[in-house]
Amino acid sequence: MALLRDIESSLEHWFSVAGQYEIEVRRSVVEGSGATMDDVVELINRETGKDVMDSIRLRLTQFIAVENRQLEESLIAQEEQNSTALFVNFLGTLMIIGFALLLMRAMNRVHTQKLQMQERTQDLSDSDWIQSATETTTRALLDQTGLED
């Protein structure tokens, strides 16, 4: 910002020292109101504002170089941020996939245990029915034969 203010100040200085007068002389040549082309040539040969304008051009070149360097640094920083964000997203995706696999494995294990428990419950139920049927048949046979204790 300071460089731009310096350039603006130099432009104002050039305009007050040489620019305004040269513009007026050239305008009067075009309008035909007093000045001649010889006056314009004399102004150009004096190089009144040339040093100031050369200084402005140099500062503008410096300003452009600084801006280009800052733009390049900004682009490099942005690329680094993009790379970091991509890595974080990739890592997060891997973590989510890993968590999903662990969760799926745990749910499969719970489901398997549930099926095993249902089978055992059915086995126990079948065992109770067999025991109950055996007791009923044994009583009936004992009643028929009269061998009760």
Side-chain angles (χ1 to χ4, degrees), residues 69-102:
R69 188 180 72 244
Q70 288 176 347
L71 179 62
E72 189 174 315
E73 290 171 359
S74 176
L75 289 173
I76 290 170
Q78 185 65 39
E79 287 177 9
E80 289 173 0
Q81 287 177 351
N82 289 346
S83 295
T84 302
L86 183 63
F87 176 74
V88 168
N89 286 338
F90 178 73
L91 187 62
T93 301
L94 286 179
M95 290 174 63
I96 289 170
I97 290 171
F99 180 72
L101 290 173
L102 286 174

Side-chain angles (χ1 to χ4, degrees), residues 24-81:
E24 287 175 8
V25 169
R26 289 178 188 209
R27 190 175 289 149
S28 79
V29 168
V30 170
E31 294 172 353
S33 60
T36 65
M37 279 306 286
D38 291 335
D39 295 331
V40 172
V41 171
E42 183 183 331
L43 279 175
I44 292 171
N45 287 336
R46 270 196 262 162
E47 298 181 350
T48 308
K50 184 180 182 318
D51 292 338
V52 175
M53 192 54 75
D54 288 343
S55 171
I56 291 170
R57 283 188 196 101
L58 177 64
R59 288 187 191 122
L60 282 172
T61 303
Q62 291 170 344
F63 175 77
I64 291 169
V66 167
E67 286 297 311
N68 284 337
R69 188 180 72 244
Q70 288 176 347
L71 179 62
E72 189 174 315
E73 290 171 359
S74 176
L75 289 173
I76 290 170
Q78 185 65 39
E79 287 177 9
E80 289 173 0
Q81 287 177 351

